[in-house]
């Protein structure tokens, strides 16, 4: 009974998501909640995982409903909703490897990795990647965030920029935007330390801005202490690393303390 | 939905995770979704509680959030509901709650200020109302299930006095209440470390016990409670009331008196006795008899007399041990005076309390070899042998005591000093007659005055005063000793310092400045011996004061002088003796691994054994790592700590631990290992290990290249292992769980033999007779009372005596053939048995189940097998009977019970150990078969019965028995000895 209901709801959901305008998406969200209430009663799903007669079908249905849920979350740009969806979905992937590969699975997997990157949960990221099969990794949707992470780690921010141009799916853009601002912050920090002054055009290129207006907006919003001096930007107002004081007296005292204690023990 | 309901009870998949459901609980989700998730989660919470537990705050929010409908909130509440369900989730939740609760209230810190009055005042961070309510519910559950002791345990651990009261008031069944009270009492004496709370809890228990109706009155517990609280008035009133009732109540009163004396708390006994004395006028007619007996037990030293009679009569001391020892020492070409002196100590241990000094009298030549301090120790050893023999102490020691008006050269006086110390040892135990102790102390004080110029005699006299006046807290004596101290003589000053401590044992809390004075003098003097004497004296003065001694402990243990720090360690040991206080243990362990002085570290480790003696199993665990320390002193001390703590247990694990230490590279570590092993093996029967150890230590003495220190250990071990005619054990606790001051002082002083060999003798003070003695209303041994011991006789048998050397040699030649034939015979026997069926093996298995101490038992069985091979006996009986009185070793009472259907039965149910009063089922009949309790020899006017053993030749003895004849001979020998000693002096 519940199964039939979920099937029906899922059909509606697919239609709504296919249309993709904001009113439909809001409706889709409600629909997903209804489906979730239904699938909670499925004992074939984690954590119970009983092998009921309809287990295979139930699992497949639940997985695809939740996949849609994840997509909808990205579309309405709600990261928390996305995370909650994934929390429900991932246990199904891991504990029911037998369900048939759904067309959306790779996309959701890739989006999940992007999400972890944005959240800067790198250990989780690597855990998830370790769990993927070679087939999973071979897919361009999954491969994209994996490569992206490597480049970010080595600091090749320029490649990141070029990746921005080659998104495997438009849905990735939401996460890319967040990532880009993180990257910009990093680059800006590096610039402050590395240069005293820098040409505005160079700075704009380094920060991966296409237009001067966007660049100025960025400075206005996040880097208020940067000064325009003609065509150059001056960072000298910044304190570049304080003089590091070696607390010699304290260290000497501590070492002597250890020595006496050591002598006592021996 | 139907399937859901049906499968709810099944567990989820093994690798399941509740994370998917938990993610649905966040408040962003729709209420209906949350509700569905909550319901589902509840069905898996039993197995996935560990995941759920981290979301408890979320659940709590849902339960309290008004936005949710009542149904949802009800489901959320279910997670916190712990009424009657028993499942893993709830148990875990409750455990956590109780943990927080006990930590919040009590914790294991001893030093936090304790609030006894109420629990609402210092609400801790972790102690939310929720936690309290969970624990409250838990208490309710305990009440419903009638698990009073469980609830009590939590209440005691949480130090919540209100709960303790509540539990006892809620408990309506009298039998259960009695059990709960007993449990509370034993928990208070063993587990509760905070003194303040312990007293508060004891007060509650005492009140509750007093509220019991007469049918369920537990007099022993009541008396013990009042004793622990120091409430002597209630105790004497109770005894008074019992005496007035007459009949069996008199027996109960007598039993209580025995229990009181057994605790060794002389001040309390004296206070009770004084109270009873005050109502002596009421005790006329029939009651007079009971009153007299009570006084005889409490002040007249009846218990001491009984112990002495027991040790004398039941002594299984093997004269060959000391003979062989003498032989092997004489065989050696180079005579070592230290080893010789140790062998005399060993003799004293072997015969401690048995009054049997025949060997010394027969071998005066051997004795004469002792000179100077060795002579001192030899004579002092007589005090150990004659411990408690107060009747003739003066006559016995007369040949050695300073003669009236004689002048003694300053460089001699060793035998006089030793005799004075011996006198002290004889009168040291508080179960000696009160008057005798007083008069002896007076005599010793006089001697101290007469001979204060002679260091040696002053040393002996001061030590003697310390012993005879142990714990009397007489400030006049204290001041006299202080005068000796101020002569600044190293030898006499040390003894004076120690004696000051012994006299004022536990008396530092009275607020005078004696401790400050002693400390000031210790810092002033240049003699290390005096400093040590004083610092240990200070330690003794803080006996049992617990946190009252914290100030001085801190002061001493931070001092620059290692000798004072050493005293500080023993102050911890004595102040916290038997409390198991974590604070003390922490401090001791810290010093044990970090102090710069070896002696201080030793002191700290040995002190662990004192603090933990009630929970002695922890000591081997604690010092296990220290046993492998690179520092030999630490290893030695660890051995000794284990030995002291586990004395008389024959624990196989501990023995294995010590066995390794006997092969240590350092000689004195080997010594320590042997001493410890001998303590652990005290009173063990002829097990394989005990036999092996015996062979090892006897062989070691004769070895040529062994270091003297190791040999010293081997010699002393022989004495300790078979001490007191194999009828005593080393124990700091009394039968009822009190700490015995004499034993504690004895062991502590024995450990000072490291610095001063005459201190070795002090161990005699710590020996406690292990006996079972059933007395009737006339305080006579009842012969018709038998006790059945449910184990094979060999398990608790005395070890076989040694055989004369000649025979042994013969045996040694034949053993080679014997072992093979024995094996063959054993095989044959086995075959036979198999043919006969498995009857015998079944028996053995049954036996093993019967007793919990499996290891010991097993070894016992091995011993049995050995016997079988040699003697070809039939199968050993499964039980055996003990006649009254007889030896009852530490482990024995567990398997013993009174034989049913006897005329006499126990007055108090419980372990048959120590002195027990027996009720007579047919009091009208005269019982012929009784035996009067009499010390080997007692002055005529005290005992109405004919003397078995008369000392004075020409004394007005009614009929000299055989023993009397022997005694006469002994007396003559003593005279000879005196002459010979005099010769030796010249």
């Amino acid at each position: 009974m519940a199964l039939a209901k979920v099937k029906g709801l899922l059909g509606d959901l697919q239609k709504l998501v296919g249309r993709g305008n904001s009113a439909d998406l809001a409706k889709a969200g409600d629909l997903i909640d209804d489906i979730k209430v239904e699938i909670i009663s499925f004992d074939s799903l984690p954590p119970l995982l009983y092998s009921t007669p309809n287990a295979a079908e139930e699992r497949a249905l639940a997985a695809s409903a939740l996949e849609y849920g994840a997509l909808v979350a990205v579309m309405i740009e709600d990261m928390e909703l996305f995370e909650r969806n994934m929390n429900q979905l991932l246990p199904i992937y891991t504990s029911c490897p037998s369900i048939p590969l759904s067309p959306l699975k790779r996309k959701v997997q890739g989006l999940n990795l992007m999400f972890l990157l944005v959240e800067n949960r790198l250990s989780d990221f690597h855990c998830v990647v370790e769990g993927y099969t070679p087939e999973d990794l071979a897919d361009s949707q999954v491969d994209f965030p994996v490569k992206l992470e490597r480049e970010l780690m080595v600091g090749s921010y320029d490649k990141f920029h070029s990746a921005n141009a080659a998104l495997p799916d438009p849905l990735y853009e939401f996460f890319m935007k967040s990532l880009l601002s993180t990257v910009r912050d990093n680059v800006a920090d590096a610039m402050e330390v590395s240069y005293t002054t820098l040409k505005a055009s160079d700075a704009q290129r380094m920060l991966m801005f296409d237009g001067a207006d966007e660049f100025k907006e960025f400075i206005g919003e996040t880097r208020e202490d940067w000064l325009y001096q003609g065509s150059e930007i001056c960072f000298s107002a910044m304190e570049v690393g304080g003089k590091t004081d070696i607390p010699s007296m304290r260290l000497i005292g501590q070492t002597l303390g250890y020595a006496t204690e050591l002598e006592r023990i021996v | 939905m139907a399937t859901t309901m049906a499968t709810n009870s099944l567990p989820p998949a093994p690798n399941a995770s509740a994370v998917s459901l938990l993610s649905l609980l966040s408040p962003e989700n729709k209420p209906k979704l949350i509700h569905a998730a909550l319901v589902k989660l509840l069905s898996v919470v039993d197995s996935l509680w560990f995941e759920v537990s981290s979301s408890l705050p979320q659940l709590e929010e849902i339960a309290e959030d008004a936005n949710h409908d009542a149904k949802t909130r009800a489901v959320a509440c279910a997670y916190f509901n712990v009424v009657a369900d028993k499942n893993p989730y709830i148990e875990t939740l409750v455990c956590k709650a109780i943990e927080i609760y006990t930590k919040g209230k009590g914790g294991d810190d001893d030093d936090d200020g304790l609030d006894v009055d109420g629990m609402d005042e210092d609400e801790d961070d972790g102690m939310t109302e929720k936690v309290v309510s969970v624990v409250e519910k838990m208490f309710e559950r305990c009440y419903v299930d009638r698990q009073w002791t469980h609830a009590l345990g939590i209440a005691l651990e949480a130090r919540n006095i209100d709960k303790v009261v509540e539990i006892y008031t809620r408990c309506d069944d009298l039998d259960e209440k009695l059990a709960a009270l007993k449990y509370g009492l034993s928990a208070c004496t063993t587990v509760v470390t905070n003194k303040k709370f312990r007293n508060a809890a004891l007060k509650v228990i005492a009140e509750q016990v007093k509220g019991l109706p007469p049918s369920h009155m537990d007099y022993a517990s009541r008396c013990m409670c009042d004793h622990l609280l120091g409430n002597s008035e209630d105790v004497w009133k109770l005894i008074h009331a019992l005496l007035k009732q007459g009949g069996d109540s008199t027996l109960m009163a007598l039993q209580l008196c025995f229990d009181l004396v057994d605790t060794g708390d002389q001040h309390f006994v004296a206070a009770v006795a004084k109270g009873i004395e005050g109502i002596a006028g009421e005790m006329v007619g029939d009651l007079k008899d009971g009153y007299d007996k009570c006084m005889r037990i409490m002040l007249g030293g009846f218990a001491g007399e009984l112990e002495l009679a027991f040790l004398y009569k039941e002594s299984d001391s093997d004269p060959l041990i000391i003979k062989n020892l003498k032989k092997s020492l004489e065989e050696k070409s180079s005579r070592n005076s230290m080893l010789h002196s140790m062998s005399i100590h060993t003799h004293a241990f072997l015969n401690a309390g048995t009054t049997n000094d025949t060997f010394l009298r027969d071998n005066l030549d051997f004795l004469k070899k002792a000179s100077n301090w060795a002579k001192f120790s030899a004579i002092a050893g007589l005090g150990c042998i004659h411990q408690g023999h107060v009747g003739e102490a003066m006559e016995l020691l007369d040949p050695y005591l300073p003669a009236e008006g004689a002048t003694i050269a300053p460089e001699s006086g060793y035998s006089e000093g030793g005799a004075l110390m011996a006198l002290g040892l004889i009168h040291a135990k508080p179960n000696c007659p009160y008057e005798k102790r007083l008069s002896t102390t007076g005599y010793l004080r006089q001697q101290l005055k007469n001979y204060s110029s002679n260091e040696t005699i002053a040393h002996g006299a001061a030590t003697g005063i310390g012993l005879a006046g142990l714990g009397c807290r007489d400030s006049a004596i204290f001041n006299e000793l202080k005068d000796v101290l101020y002569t600044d003589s190293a030898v006499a000053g040390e003894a004076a310092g120690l004696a000051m401590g012994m006299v004022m044992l536990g008396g530092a809390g009275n607020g005078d400045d004696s401790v400050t004075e002693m400390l000031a003098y210790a810092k002033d003097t240049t003699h290390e011996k005096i400093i040590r004497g004083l610092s240990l004296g200070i330690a003794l003065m803080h006996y049992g004061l617990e946190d009252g001694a914290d100030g001085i402990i801190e002061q001493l243990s931070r001092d620059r002088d290692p000798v004072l720090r050493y005293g500080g360690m023993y102050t911890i040991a004595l102040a916290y003796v038997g409390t198991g206080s974590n604070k003390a243990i922490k401090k001791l362990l810290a010093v044990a691994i970090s102090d710069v002085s070896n002696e201080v570290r030793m002191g700290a480790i040995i002190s662990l054994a004192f603090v933990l003696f009630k929970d002695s199993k922890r000591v081997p665990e604690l010092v296990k790592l220290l046993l492998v320390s690179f520092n030999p002193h630490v290893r030695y001390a660890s051995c000794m700590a284990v030995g002291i703590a586990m004395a008389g247990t024959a624990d196989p694990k501990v023995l294995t631990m010590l066995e390794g230490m006997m092969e240590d590279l350092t000689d004195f570590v080997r010594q320590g290992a042997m001493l410890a092993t001998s303590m652990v093996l005290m009173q063990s029967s002829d097990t394989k290990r005990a036999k092996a150890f015996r062979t090892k230590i006897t062989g070691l003495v004769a070895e040529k290249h062994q270091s003297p220190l190791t040999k010293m250990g081997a010699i002393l071990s022989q004495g300790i292992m078979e001490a007191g005619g194999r009828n005593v054990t080393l124990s700091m606790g009394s039968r009822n769980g009190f700490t015995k001051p004499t034993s504690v002082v004895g062991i502590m002083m024995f450990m000072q033999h490291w610095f001063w060999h005459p201190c070795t003798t002090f161990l005699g003070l710590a020996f406690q007779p292990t006996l079972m003695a059933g007395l009737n209303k006339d305080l006579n041994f009842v012969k018709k009372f038998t006790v059945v011991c449910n184990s094979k006789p060999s398990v608790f048998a005395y070890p076989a005596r040694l055989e004369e050397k000649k025979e042994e040699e013969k045996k040694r030649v034949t053993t080679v053939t014997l072992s093979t034939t024995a094996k063959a015979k054993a095989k044959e026997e086995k075959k036979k048995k198999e043919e006969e069926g498995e009857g015998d093996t079944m028996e053995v298995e049954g036996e093993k189940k019967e007793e919990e101490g499996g290891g010991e038992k097993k070894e016992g069985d091995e011993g049995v097998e050995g016997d079988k091979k040699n003697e070809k006996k039939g199968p050993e009986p499964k039980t055996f009977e003990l006649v009254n009185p007889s030896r009852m070793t530490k482990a024995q009472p567990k398997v013993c019970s009174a034989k049913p259907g006897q005329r006499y039965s126990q007055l108090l149910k419980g372990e048959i150990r120590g002195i027990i009063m027996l009720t007579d089922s047919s009091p009208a009949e005269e019982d012929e078969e009784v035996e009067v309790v009499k010390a080997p020899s007692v002055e005529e006017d005290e005992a109405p019965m004919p003397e078995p053993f008369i000392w004075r030749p020409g004394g007005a003895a009614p009929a000299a028995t055989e023993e009397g004849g022997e005694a006469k001979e002994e007396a003559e020998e003593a005279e000879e000895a005196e002459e010979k000693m005099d010769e030796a002096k010249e």
Side-chain angles (χ1 to χ4, degrees), chain B residues 356-603:
Chain B
N356 178 4
D357 52 6
T358 335
F359 174 80
L360 289 183
R361 300 193 182 282
D362 290 350
N363 295 279
L364 280 170
D365 289 343
F366 182 66
L367 187 64
K368 251 199 288 185
K369 283 180 196 160
S371 57
N372 297 343
W373 283 106
K375 196 200 258 176
F376 178 97
S377 307
I379 309 291
L382 281 178
C384 185
I385 296 172
H386 287 279
Q387 213 171 65
H389 192 174
V390 289
E392 275 113 6
M394 293 302 279
E395 288 86 339
L396 266 170
L397 294 168
D398 191 50
Y400 315 110
L401 286 169
E404 199 105 2
T407 47
I408 292 155
E411 65 277 358
S412 68
Y414 293 102
S415 70
E416 286 81 358
L420 293 175
M421 178 173 169
L423 209 52
L425 269 173
I426 292 175
H427 295 89
K429 288 206 174 170
N431 57 16
C432 291
Y434 183 67
E435 295 298 328
K436 274 274 171 192
R437 289 190 74 191
L438 266 185
S439 63
T440 308
T441 319
Y443 171 77
L444 288 167
R445 283 161 75 180
Q446 192 53 46
Q447 297 300 323
L448 183 65
K449 262 184 211 147
N450 292 351
Y451 296 99
S452 57
S453 55
N454 184 318
E455 295 202 297
T456 323
I457 300 184
H459 179 95
T463 318
I465 292 174
L467 285 163
L470 187 72
C472 71
R473 301 191 194 161
D474 184 337
S475 53
I477 303 179
F478 184 81
N479 288 329
E480 282 171 29
L481 289 166
K482 206 157 64 186
D483 293 341
V484 177
L485 184 71
Y486 286 148
T487 58
D488 208 40
S489 133
V491 174
E494 182 187 32
L498 287 170
M500 283 157 88
M502 286 196 262
V503 167
M504 301 300 276
L505 187 72
N510 58 6
D512 63 12
D513 54 355
S514 45
V515 173
T516 345
E517 230 173 298
M518 284 167 82
L519 197 57
Y521 192 73
K523 294 201 171 178
D524 206 30
T525 183
T526 49
H527 295 291
E528 197 179 282
K529 280 176 85 66
I530 298 184
I531 306 177
R532 182 172 304 115
L534 282 170
S535 68
L536 291 171
I538 293 172
L540 285 163
M541 288 171 75
H542 291 87
Y543 170 87
L545 291 187
E546 296 185 32
D547 42 8
D550 282 355
I552 192 82
I553 290 172
E554 199 59 22
Q555 202 180 345
L556 286 177
S557 57
R558 289 193 182 282
D559 203 275
R560 287 173 69 95
D561 187 346
V563 184
L564 283 181
R565 290 207 299 277
Y566 178 77
M569 292 309 110
Y570 275 103
T571 314
I572 302 181
L574 295 184
Y576 286 95
V577 63
T579 58
S581 152
N582 277 337
K583 193 176 57 171
I585 294 166
K586 264 185 213 159
K587 173 112 193 164
L588 288 172
L589 282 177
V591 174
I593 53 165
S594 68
D595 203 276
V596 278
S597 156
N598 286 329
E599 273 83 43
V600 181
R601 296 174 72 169
M602 278 168 52

Side-chain angles (χ1 to χ4, degrees), chain A residues 11-57:
Chain A
D12 296 344
L13 181 65
Q14 275 165 339
K15 274 179 220 152
L16 285 172
V17 176
R19 268 181 258 161
N21 62 49
S22 56
D24 287 337
L25 285 179
K27 250 189 236 166
D30 293 339
L31 216 53
I32 289 165
D33 279 346
D34 290 342
I35 297 178
K36 277 185 187 168
V37 172
E38 289 303 324
I39 62 176
I40 279 178
S41 64
F42 289 175
D43 287 339
S44 55
L45 295 180
L48 291 174
L49 283 174
Y50 298 145
S51 38
T52 50
N54 300 328
E57 208 177 343

Side-chain angles (χ1 to χ4, degrees), chain B residues 31 87 115 134 152 159 167-168 170 183 225 240 311 364 438 505 521 524 544 742 889:
Chain B
N87 62 39
D115 176 33
V134 167
L152 202 57
R159 295 195 198 155
I167 291 163
Y168 284 130
R170 288 284 293 270
Y183 171 83
C225 263
H240 177 206
L311 286 177
L364 280 170
L438 266 185
L505 187 72
Y521 192 73
D524 206 30
T742 38
T889 60

Side-chain angles (χ1 to χ4, degrees), chain B residues 930-943:
Chain B
V930 292
E931 193 187 326
V932 179
V933 176
K934 56 210 164 186
S937 171
V938 200
E939 279 171 30
E940 286 97 336
D941 53 353
E942 271 192 18

Side-chain angles (χ1 to χ4, degrees), chain B residues 56-101:
Chain B
L56 281 179
Q58 230 167 17
L59 288 166
E60 206 179 325
E61 264 170 44
I62 296 171
E64 283 165 1
D65 191 350
N67 293 332
H68 290 289
D69 59 3
K71 238 165 77 191
T72 315
R73 285 161 65 186
V75 179
C77 279
Y79 291 87
F80 300 96
N81 199 355
V82 284
V83 199
D85 262 1
K86 278 189 189 174
N87 62 39
Y89 165 71
I90 285 172
E91 310 250 286
T92 314
L93 205 68
V94 170
C95 276
K96 277 278 162 213
I98 290 175
E99 208 173 278
I100 297 170
Y101 184 76

Side-chain angles (χ1 to χ4, degrees), chain A residues 29 32-33 41 53 57 73 82 119 137 141 145 186 228 233 258 260:
Chain A
I32 289 165
D33 279 346
S41 64
E57 208 177 343
F82 178 79
E119 292 275 283
L137 289 170
Q141 306 225 37
N186 285 347
Y228 266 108
I233 299 171
Y258 289 146
T260 30

Side-chain angles (χ1 to χ4, degrees), chain A residues 1 29-30 33-34 36-37 40-43 46-50 52 80-81 84 87-88 91 95 263-266, chain B residues 3-4 7 10-13 16-17 19-21 23-24 26 28-30 32-33 36-37 40 44 48 594 596:
Chain A
M1 185 187 77
D30 293 339
D33 279 346
D34 290 342
K36 277 185 187 168
V37 172
I40 279 178
S41 64
F42 289 175
D43 287 339
L48 291 174
L49 283 174
Y50 298 145
T52 50
E80 280 174 21
L81 181 61
R84 288 204 300 277
N87 277 342
Q88 277 194 279
S95 41
E263 200 180 10
R264 275 186 137 201
I265 294 166
V266 180
Chain B
T3 49
T4 319
T7 50
L10 283 170
S17 154
V19 78
S20 54
L21 291 171
S23 70
L24 291 175
S26 62
E28 291 85 4
N29 284 305
K30 299 237 166 63
K32 59 175 178 181
L33 201 50
K40 187 75 177 176
V44 295
L48 298 174
S594 68
V596 278

